[in-house]
Amino acid sequence: MMKGVRIARVVLAALAVVAGAGWSTEASTATAGPPVATWKSAAPGRPIVLPADHASHPDYKLEWWYYTGNLDGPQGERFGFQVTFFRVGVDPNPAGRSRWAVRDLFMTHVALTDARGRRYLFAERLNRSGPGWAGAETERYHVWNEDWQASLDGQAHRLRASAVSNGEDGTRFGLDLTLDETMPPALHGDRGYSRKGTDPGNASHYYSLPRMPTRGTVTLEGKTFMVTGLSWMDHEFGTSFLEPGQVGWDWFAVQLSDGRSLMLYRFRRSDQARDPRSSGTLIDANGRTTAVNFEQVTMTPQRTWTSPTSRATYPIGWTLSLPREQLELTVAPVLENQELQTTESTGVTYWEGAIDVSGTSAGRPVTGRGYLEMTGYSGAAMTNYLR
């Protein structure tokens, strides 16, 4: 969803890295010069137009491109992957003209779930756009952070990244994937305007490509696997998202065996009340969308896992009940430990991982795969930073 990454302390942690590296932000605090520009807020009525809207929207403060997927190899191997590019606006109108002036920062998370090897690998990067180390084009879809990149080749998305895991063993892993667009984008909320709070400006423009046939290679410790599978792409852009009391969220992206897809998220509040801005979208096999009636949705944690490093406890097993949609689903993680601790980029600790789904649709058996993201279980509340 907010991808999310999904992101607590995005701005503060990034600025801390900038300051620690001795870089000059040349922030627009000068008394002379033209008036400082302001960030644009998401608003209803703005159409989503592809492929143009795959490109960057620098008038908005926050933007991310979020890919997750489940992939299979020729000998029964199974991998889950996440590739997320975050753009965070620091100053919409830097006073200086130097390429070292910080207008935007780019954070990228890459993760790989190796189901057969029972391990989870992730890596991260933080760079500024000015020197060309990272960026996102506005006229075409191309976002990069050094040699990690996502781009559009015709109607196909290309993802490429090679990294050394943040773990102690420093495992090298990588991916080179081609993802096809086979149906229209799923527009969430009001035709792509996704309201997150009482204030209309606390919102994003949000769409998904929920079923992208995927092919390519996964590289793990020098061995290359030919893989195929299904991926999910989220793109969101806006300026102010959350409001006081919203401490985090639980987000599901599910691809069902009957051809349908489900996006579902709930905000968790500090007062434990049900948040009226929780939302969901059901996408049929032809790409038609229906807003989920969240008043009838029940999301029940079934089992938990406690991280040995962050000490956060996550509900990694769930049952999802959607009576109007006639869906009763059970969610189980592929691995318990799919936690990212992004101390070198966003500063956020969150759980993002591959899941298996089983249950019934209108009383008939249905299965699926997908991804689950859980934020706000460790560290500061998300609302402190996405405002």
Side-chain angles (χ1 to χ4, degrees):
M1 168 241 173
M2 319 252 314
K3 239 71 102 81
V5 118
R6 8 209 340 254
I7 311 170
R9 293 195 288 176
V10 167
V11 178
L12 295 184
L15 288 176
V17 172
V18 171
W23 299 339
S24 169
T25 62
E26 297 188 25
S28 55
T29 56
T31 56
V36 176
T38 58
W39 302 109
K40 188 175 182 179
S41 294
R46 182 198 183 280
I48 298 292
V49 179
L50 299 185
D53 274 324
H54 288 328
S56 186
H57 302 80
D59 291 345
Y60 299 86
K61 185 176 182 179
L62 300 171
E63 184 167 21
W64 49 79
W65 299 261
Y66 219 107
Y67 293 89
T68 57
N70 284 274
L71 307 171
D72 296 295
Q75 303 299 322
E77 303 91 351
R78 179 176 174 185
F79 302 101
F81 80 90
Q82 173 200 350
V83 177
T84 309
F85 290 89
F86 302 95
R87 180 188 61 79
V88 177
V90 176
D91 186 345
N93 185 27
R97 293 179 176 269
S98 167
R99 66 175 185 161
W100 297 100
V102 179
R103 186 193 190 279
D104 299 290
L105 289 169
F106 287 84
M107 286 77 72
T108 309
H109 298 168
V110 175
L112 183 72
T113 298
D114 174 16
R116 175 174 286 183
R118 310 301 296 172
R119 56 183 167 176
Y120 184 70
L121 308 170
F122 73 91
E124 58 186 319
R125 285 181 180 170
L126 166 67
N127 274 303
R128 63 174 64 197
S129 57
W133 295 333
E137 297 189 35
T138 58
E139 298 301 319
R140 67 184 183 113
Y141 181 36
H142 179 217
V143 56
W144 73 96
N145 200 328
E146 298 179 39
D147 60 343
W148 299 354
Q149 57 182 300
S151 60
L152 202 60
D153 181 6
Q155 289 189 324
H157 294 231
R158 288 293 307 276
L159 301 179
R160 283 172 283 185
S162 180
V164 175
S165 172
N166 285 23
E168 293 181 2
D169 59 353
T171 302
R172 178 164 287 280
F173 68 100
L175 51 87
D176 188 340
L177 302 174
T178 299
L179 297 72
D180 294 323
E181 290 190 33
T182 58
M183 60 176 60
L187 308 183
H188 303 298
D190 179 8
R191 292 165 293 177
Y193 168 71
S194 176
R195 184 93 164 259
K196 304 298 196 294
T198 304
D199 186 329
N202 288 333
S204 69
H205 296 293
Y206 179 18
Y207 67 88
S208 299
L209 300 174
R211 298 183 79 93
M212 304 184 77
T214 302
R215 61 195 182 277
T217 60
V218 167
T219 305
L220 183 59
E221 295 182 318
K223 185 176 181 180
T224 298
F225 302 87
M226 301 297 295
V227 293
T228 58
L230 274 181
S231 299
W232 183 298
M233 184 260 203
D234 270 4
H235 187 194
E236 290 194 62
F237 49 96
T239 289
S240 177
F241 286 17
L242 304 187
E243 296 181 337
Q246 294 171 317
V247 299
W249 60 80
D250 306 308
W251 173 87
F252 297 81
V254 176
Q255 296 148 332
L256 294 170
S257 56
D258 62 9
R260 294 185 297 170
S261 303
L262 173 68
M263 186 284 295
L264 197 67
Y265 67 84
R266 69 168 187 178
F267 289 121
R268 298 191 317 281
R269 300 184 57 85
S270 57
D271 60 7
Q272 308 303 313
R274 188 181 184 96
D275 193 299
R277 298 302 174 183
S278 299
S279 184
T281 306
L282 185 65
I283 305 116
D284 73 11
N286 296 312
R288 293 186 292 264
T289 60
T290 303
V292 169
N293 182 356
F294 215 90
E295 290 297 317
Q296 298 180 5
V297 173
T298 302
M299 303 169 64
T300 307
Q302 294 298 324
R303 73 182 174 99
T304 62
W305 171 79
T306 299
S307 167
T309 50
S310 73
R311 307 310 303 172
T313 297
Y314 300 94
I316 57 172
W318 295 77
T319 58
L320 309 177
S321 178
L322 292 78
R324 190 186 71 172
E325 291 77 16
Q326 297 183 285
L327 283 173
E328 301 291 333
L329 304 175
T330 298
V331 172
V334 172
L335 295 179
E336 290 186 336
N337 185 358
Q338 299 184 82
E339 181 189 55
L340 295 88
Q341 298 183 43
T342 62
T343 56
E344 298 178 9
S345 58
T346 61
V348 181
T349 295
Y350 65 106
W351 197 101
E352 175 96 19
I355 55 174
D356 286 318
V357 179
S358 60
T360 60
S361 171
R364 295 184 295 272
V366 68
T367 59
R369 289 177 169 182
Y371 253 71
L372 164 62
E373 178 185 76
M374 296 178 285
T375 70
Y377 288 89
S378 176
M382 301 294 283
T383 186
N384 290 1
Y385 306 102
L386 291 180
R387 294 173 58 189

